[in-house]
Amino acid sequence: MIELSNVVKEYTVIKKKSGLSGSIKSLFKPEKTIVRGVDGISFRIEKGEMVGYLGPNGAGKSTTIKMLTGILHPTSGTVRIGGISPQENRKSVVKQLGVVFGQRTQLYWDLRLGESFELLKRIYRIDEETYQSNLEMMYEVLGIDQLINTPVRQLSLGQRMKGDLAAAMLHSPSILFLDEPTIGLDVEAKQNIRSFIREMNAKRGTTIILTTHDLDDVEQLCKRLIVINHGKVVEDGPLSELILRMAPYRLLVLDLSEMPDPQTLHHHGAELIKQEGLKLTYRFHKSDISASELISGLSAKLSVVDLGVKEPDIEDMIREMYRSSSTA
Amino acid sequence: MSAYYYFFKMRILTTLAYRFEVFTAVASNAVMLLATVFLWKAAYRGIGSVQEVSQHQMIVYAILSVVMGAVLSVNVQDDMYYRVREGHIATDFIKPVQLLGMFLAEDLGTTVSALVNRAVPLILLASILFTPPLPVSLTAFLLFVPSLMLSFLLLWLMGAIVGMISFWVLELGNLGIVKDAIVRILSGSLIPIWFFPDWMGTVSAYLPFQYMYQTPLSIYIGKITHSQAGTALAIQAAWIAVLAFIAYAVWQRAKRVTLIQGG
Amino acid sequence: MVTAIRYHVSVAYFFAKLAVQRQLEYPLFLVSWFLMIPLQYISGVWVLKLMVEQFQALAGWTFPQLAFLYGLGLLSHGLSVIFFIQTWHIDNMVIRGDFDRMLLRPMNVFFQFVVNYVNFIGIIDLIPGFLIFFYGCAQVGFEWTLVNVLKLAAVVIGGMFIRASICTIMGSAAFWTKRSGSLISLTLATMERTTMYPLSVYPKVIQLALTFILPIGFISFYPATDFIGQEDGFTLPVGLAIWTPIVGIVTFAVSHFIFQSGLKRYESAGS
């Protein structure tokens, strides 16, 4: 469906020298260097997937999205959307794409929200029936029917993002690119937007590719992650598998009613990593032992009043991925 | 003082930083130069002198006028307009550097760098294509230099006053462009005032505009005598005093308005 | 074919409608332009009047003839300010990444670029144009026959396209260099100085360049010589008003080609 193979994007950067003599020097003979923003990326995304495309700032995320959507031409390598190159056959490819840039709206600032929609209706040649039914759906899922006659400049950031999402979906695209869709939003607006994304994926089978720095987005939305750094793919796989590999530990925290006998604290499937009075913390490997096995094993020996299982911290995991790929 | 020197230097550096801009800006001025000089040549075709000004004098006047326009850089009105419009002005008032001092330092920086990267190429070009734009005498040149400096101050103060008007009439857009249009015609930079109908020449003598371009240029080409030049310099200085007083008064009012309204 | 035309017209119309609505949100911002533009052009033509009065006809052009030429140039200038002002700002659009959105829409980018904005306040430029032109017409005894009116319309519209094309070509430099702002001001300054004065004021080399390299001469000078029977200083068989629309179409095609090549090098904004 979406296919990148060995995509490279190079930029020419002009180096400015400092100082007066430097300025004069670069006036006549600028120093140019070539920088690789994207350095041989390949991946494949199937129809209906929800993929998180992650990486630290400057890793090449936006550049990749811009090549996938036909805005930029790769220096080498090929991009295919449904078998077609968005660079050579732009118009037929972009018809199936919806794109939202979280930091840049496509809505007209001074005009009513509905007017931007009307314009898109004409540009995408959406027939009246489809337009109305899509609009209905957006009203229902995003609750923007009250906003349609409000000038965009008067909308809150969250409302504007909803407007942008609706604008991107009016022509029923089969692929939706979201570049930081929840940036700067409050918790409630974030939840609304996430449920919208899930709904589009579930009801319409829209393929979703999402870049974000918000790890709640990742946890709640993405079944698969592609992580890049320095223009290269460093991880690509299902979220659960990545967690299993990168952060295979879980923690079991127990509250006891009385001081335990040190002899009884040991368990063969887990390691006691912390003991503070009546609070015990065990670390265990998902593949070695299940949580229920461990709990029943321990509660047989100890007087447990309360317990909790802590999932691995996804933020730590991602940070670890960036770090290890940087030092490599 | 060192803060202002910093703004002055930074402006020189940033002006030099965009080489494409530098080259094309000079080319832009060169087009003006060619167009103006050829127009005057067409006017003088077969005519000796008009209003006691010969073709050679008029061409030197026209060349120098374009060079002055390229060199004397007054961005204060635009800078001020944008700072008011973007709402930065309220914080500017509480900064330790005087805003006007900063703008003056920046405009001086642009002007000094323009002496190198604009005046030199334009004068070279004019010398090759037409005639070296030499002053009529050494004394004339020595009188021209202070007159030119006073012209810069006049232009700058006028720009600052118009820029400050945006405190009150921001919604009217940048009035600086209107002022520029008036200056272009009434300063003698397009055509000397002595070609105007008499009544306009009389009115113009009582306005500050002709002292911005025509005075130094007339001194340079010898259209006015040395003693007349002395008077003209005094009038320039008097206008500077008047405009500086107005600028100061308007500035104080603007400051009060802004601090009360909170920008 | 018909549906394609109807499609493009409906999009262009809607873009224009939105642009006008947006400008009407802040009507007072026009005040300074409303003062400055007429001042600038009226004083420009007045300078020509002073020169002719104090000296002589310029390169054989009397003041009424000069006013006719000046006004004719201003008319196509005004139209290009209304419909093609975005061609002056390609560099800003490149730096801000404004072409991203156009590239994401299933429509020709050059078409979107052209129709995306209508600067209806450019009417301010047209008013002094009309005043000066009609004054010139009355003074030189321009005959308002049907043929002349049609020729005039073709010349003004053709002139608008020549101006827009030249600005698009120059502005497209921004796809390579990022900045073309001062190249545009250079171009605009050149066009102003060469469409509002007779080209025959300039030396032959410049006249040749402005005829065959940058065809600015066709915007107003050659058609004006044809309309009022002045010498074109050249006596090439080009003094025909009909050349203006043809040159307009050709330059517009060239500018489209250069714009498209530039767009391939477009690097969007930031990362």
Side-chain angles (χ1 to χ4, degrees):
Chain A
M1 176 84 202
I2 298 173
E3 212 177 347
L4 259 85
S5 44
N6 288 313
V7 170
V8 171
K9 179 71 187 173
E10 290 176 344
Y11 289 104
T12 312
V13 179
I14 293 173
K15 239 170 106 184
K16 288 258 150 72
K17 297 186 198 92
S18 58
L20 185 61
S21 66
S23 293
I24 292 171
K25 236 178 257 162
S26 0
L27 187 63
F28 295 99
K29 214 177 167 201
E31 201 176 293
K32 288 178 183 170
T33 46
I34 290 177
V35 175
R36 280 201 170 188
V38 168
D39 191 5
I41 284 186
S42 306
F43 58 72
R44 215 185 130 79
I45 294 172
E46 299 303 330
K47 189 168 167 32
E49 279 197 78
M50 274 218 257
V51 179
Y53 193 56
L54 310 187
N57 289 331
K61 292 186 303 261
S62 296
T63 309
T64 318
I65 300 282
K66 282 172 182 169
M67 286 190 285
L68 280 170
T69 51
I71 294 174
L72 295 177
H73 291 243
T75 312
S76 67
T78 53
V79 179
R80 292 283 180 274
I81 306 264
I84 312 172
S85 156
Q87 279 75 28
E88 284 151 32
N89 225 322
R90 190 182 64 81
K91 275 187 253 179
S92 55
V93 171
V94 295
K95 242 184 266 179
Q96 330 157 31
L97 307 182
V99 184
V100 175
F101 295 112
Q103 322 231 40
R104 285 169 62 197
T105 179
Q106 68 160 320
L107 308 169
Y108 280 100
W109 192 246
D110 291 319
L111 300 178
R112 296 182 297 109
L113 182 57
E115 270 157 337
S116 293
F117 292 173
E118 285 279 323
L119 176 71
L120 292 171
K121 180 190 169 201
R122 283 171 171 76
I123 291 180
Y124 285 93
R125 297 191 242 201
I126 309 169
D127 63 74
E128 187 60 34
E129 205 180 320
T130 318
Y131 179 71
Q132 286 304 337
S133 79
N134 276 347
L135 211 52
E136 283 302 317
M137 179 163 188
M138 296 307 144
Y139 287 169
E140 197 183 310
V141 185
L142 290 167
I144 52 169
D145 39 340
Q146 303 298 319
L147 306 175
I148 201 81
N149 285 321
T150 314
V152 173
R153 62 167 184 270
Q154 289 172 17
L155 298 179
S156 73
L157 199 58
Q159 291 171 329
R160 205 181 76 207
M161 182 47 67
K162 288 180 186 172
D164 259 308
L165 285 168
M169 290 301 292
L170 280 177
H171 58 286
S172 330
S174 55
I175 305 169
L176 183 60
F177 289 95
L178 301 165
D179 195 359
E180 304 267 0
T182 56
I183 195 162
L185 304 186
D186 62 43
V187 179
E188 203 197 331
K190 279 184 182 177
Q191 283 307 340
N192 280 333
I193 288 185
R194 286 179 196 137
S195 65
F196 168 83
I197 296 170
R198 267 195 300 268
E199 195 138 341
M200 288 301 112
N201 179 257
K203 281 197 183 155
R204 296 191 164 197
T206 313
T207 311
I208 287 168
I209 293 118
L210 171 87
T211 78
T212 185
H213 285 292
D214 186 317
L215 294 161
D216 292 334
D217 286 351
V218 174
E219 226 171 340
Q220 295 181 29
L221 292 174
C222 306
K223 295 186 185 83
R224 174 179 166 197
L225 289 189
I226 299 174
V227 182
I228 65 162
N229 201 3
H230 303 301
K232 288 192 164 87
V233 175
V234 294
E235 291 292 344
D236 180 359
L239 179 62
S240 53
E241 217 171 81
L242 285 181
I243 292 174
L244 202 61
R245 194 156 49 77
M246 296 292 299
Y249 297 110
R250 290 200 280 183
L251 301 178
L252 175 68
V253 183
L254 300 177
D255 281 323
L256 306 180
S257 58
E258 54 190 59
M259 280 306 279
D261 177 357
Q263 303 295 314
T264 59
L265 288 179
H266 177 75
H267 191 278
H268 65 91
E271 185 190 350
L272 179 66
I273 55 170
K274 210 157 68 180
Q275 179 175 12
E276 292 168 326
L278 293 175
K279 200 182 204 77
L280 305 178
T281 306
Y282 286 90
R283 186 169 73 177
F284 63 104
H285 220 287
K286 265 185 181 176
S287 53
D288 289 351
I289 190 167
S290 75
S292 62
E293 236 178 298
L294 180 63
I295 291 164
S296 58
L298 283 171
S299 51
K301 300 189 283 184
L302 304 166
S303 53
V304 177
V305 249
D306 196 10
L307 59 84
V309 178
K310 263 202 195 152
E311 289 298 319
D313 193 347
I314 184 164
E315 194 169 338
D316 288 344
M317 175 183 101
I318 304 252
R319 198 179 300 131
E320 176 58 26
M321 282 183 207
Y322 293 172
R323 200 190 56 78
S324 62
S325 64
S326 290
T327 49
Chain B
M1 204 56 220
S2 65
Y4 300 108
Y5 177 70
Y6 173 78
F7 293 125
F8 170 80
K9 203 179 93 184
M10 280 318 289
R11 214 19 116 79
I12 296 185
L13 290 179
T14 47
T15 322
L16 286 173
Y18 300 107
R19 64 187 197 134
F20 192 64
E21 293 283 293
V22 172
F23 294 143
T24 48
V26 172
S28 221
N29 299 134
V31 167
M32 293 292 285
L33 184 86
L34 292 179
T36 319
V37 173
F38 283 123
L39 199 62
W40 283 113
K41 284 194 154 189
Y44 269 100
R45 206 167 286 170
I47 294 178
S49 67
V50 175
Q51 306 275 357
E52 293 160 10
V53 176
S54 70
Q55 174 172 342
H56 175 76
Q57 278 177 305
M58 195 55 230
I59 285 174
V60 173
Y61 184 105
I63 293 169
L64 255 279
S65 172
V66 172
V67 173
M68 268 176 78
V71 169
L72 301 183
S73 168
V74 174
N75 293 311
V76 59
Q77 63 201 26
D78 301 339
D79 290 342
M80 191 98 73
Y81 173 73
Y82 286 113
R83 294 205 81 81
V84 176
R85 205 180 73 174
E86 307 295 326
H88 299 312
I89 201 80
T91 44
D92 287 334
F93 277 123
I94 27 185
K95 280 184 192 158
V97 276
Q98 269 283 336
L99 195 61
L100 284 177
M102 182 184 94
F103 288 146
L104 182 59
E106 287 188 338
D107 280 340
L108 277 172
T110 319
T111 299
V112 169
S113 60
L115 275 177
V116 182
N117 63 26
R118 300 236 194 154
V120 172
L122 284 174
I123 289 174
L124 274 177
L125 180 78
S127 310
I128 295 165
L129 289 180
F130 307 112
T131 174
L134 296 175
V136 66
S137 65
L138 183 63
T139 327
F141 182 75
L142 293 177
L143 287 165
F144 165 78
V145 173
S147 178
L148 181 68
M149 290 173 179
L150 296 175
S151 286
F152 174 80
L153 277 179
L154 269 175
L155 283 164
W156 193 86
L157 284 167
M158 185 67 91
I161 293 170
V162 173
M164 284 181 228
I165 293 176
S166 47
F167 282 98
W168 289 275
V169 289
L170 182 65
E171 57 280 2
L172 297 189
N174 187 354
L175 288 170
I177 55 173
V178 183
K179 185 221 71 182
D180 288 344
I182 296 172
V183 168
R184 256 196 303 277
I185 185 74
L186 291 182
S187 67
S189 78
L190 275 182
I191 180 169
I193 314 287
W194 59 75
F195 293 127
F196 282 17
D198 290 342
W199 67 270
M200 284 195 71
T202 315
V203 172
S204 166
Y206 295 97
L207 293 172
F209 302 105
Q210 71 173 49
Y211 306 100
M212 295 170 178
Y213 273 83
Q214 182 161 306
T215 301
L217 292 171
S218 306
I219 296 173
Y220 194 87
I221 65 164
K223 163 76 176 163
I224 57 178
T225 63
H226 295 336
S227 63
Q228 282 170 320
T231 320
L233 280 168
I235 298 175
Q236 280 187 307
W239 270 114
I240 286 170
V242 172
L243 292 188
F245 175 76
I246 295 174
Y248 179 77
V250 175
W251 182 246
Q252 290 304 324
R253 284 195 73 92
K255 202 168 173 175
R256 225 172 25 240
V257 169
T258 312
L259 292 181
I260 290 166
Q261 294 174 348
Chain C
M1 181 67 189
V2 178
T3 42
I5 292 174
R6 195 184 299 150
Y7 167 52
H8 285 87
V9 168
S10 87
V11 171
Y13 167 77
F14 206 77
F15 265 127
K17 186 180 152 231
L18 295 187
V20 172
Q21 266 176 284
R22 269 150 69 205
Q23 289 165 67
L24 286 176
E25 289 281 317
Y26 308 101
L28 279 174
F29 261 93
L30 315 179
V31 168
S32 54
W33 291 103
F34 207 86
L35 294 170
M36 180 277 218
I37 299 282
L39 199 62
Q40 162 147 345
Y41 292 122
I42 305 281
S43 67
V45 80
W46 183 65
V47 165
L48 290 178
K49 185 168 189 285
L50 288 179
M51 288 177 93
V52 172
E53 277 171 3
Q54 296 263 344
F55 295 82
Q56 56 184 326
L58 297 176
W61 289 61
T62 63
F63 178 64
Q65 292 176 326
L66 288 169
F68 181 90
L69 172 68
Y70 196 98
L72 186 64
L74 212 44
L75 288 181
S76 60
H77 168 76
L79 284 187
S80 76
V81 169
I82 294 177
F83 294 107
F84 288 100
I85 199 163
Q86 60 275 34
T87 61
W88 302 2
H89 303 302
I90 295 177
D91 62 335
N92 281 333
M93 297 177 74
V94 169
I95 289 167
R96 284 200 309 254
D98 286 352
F99 290 108
D100 287 15
R101 204 28 92 175
M102 296 184 194
L103 281 161
L104 288 173
R105 291 172 174 165
M107 193 173 212
N108 181 288
V109 175
F110 187 67
F111 180 79
Q112 290 185 65
F113 162 69
V114 167
V115 300
N116 158 294
Y117 196 64
V118 166
N119 176 39
F120 96 109
I121 66 164
I123 287 172
I124 300 172
D125 287 68
L126 270 185
I127 295 169
F130 271 115
L131 287 176
I132 297 168
F133 183 67
F134 285 130
Y135 170 81
C137 284
Q139 295 287 309
V140 298
F142 181 75
E143 284 175 47
W144 291 95
T145 61
L146 183 64
V147 176
N148 266 351
V149 169
L150 290 178
K151 262 165 86 180
L152 192 62
V155 163
V156 172
I157 292 169
M160 170 187 79
F161 275 105
I162 299 176
R163 287 176 186 275
S165 310
I166 292 175
C167 287
T168 305
I169 292 168
M170 297 298 172
S172 293
F175 287 120
W176 286 270
T177 63
K178 294 278 184 221
R179 281 174 179 269
S180 59
S182 54
L183 191 60
I184 286 292
S185 23
L186 166 66
T187 309
L188 291 175
T190 309
M191 285 206 279
E192 180 169 327
R193 297 275 144 171
T194 48
T195 56
M196 293 170 188
Y197 305 151
L199 217 49
S200 40
V201 162
Y202 299 103
K204 281 278 184 300
V205 194
I206 295 182
Q207 292 184 40
L208 275 168
L210 296 180
T211 305
F212 297 109
I213 299 172
L214 273 186
I216 291 176
F218 293 96
I219 296 174
S220 61
F221 177 69
Y222 291 123
T225 57
D226 185 29
F227 281 128
I228 58 183
Q230 255 286 4
E231 249 192 274
D232 62 15
F234 227 34
T235 53
L236 281 180
V238 286
L240 293 165
I242 199 64
W243 277 97
T244 302
I246 294 173
V247 173
I249 291 166
V250 172
T251 51
F252 200 62
V254 172
S255 76
H256 176 231
F257 173 77
I258 291 178
F259 180 90
Q260 292 292 0
S261 332
L263 201 59
K264 289 213 181 89
R265 300 193 37 123
Y266 175 60
E267 286 190 342
S268 185
S271 66

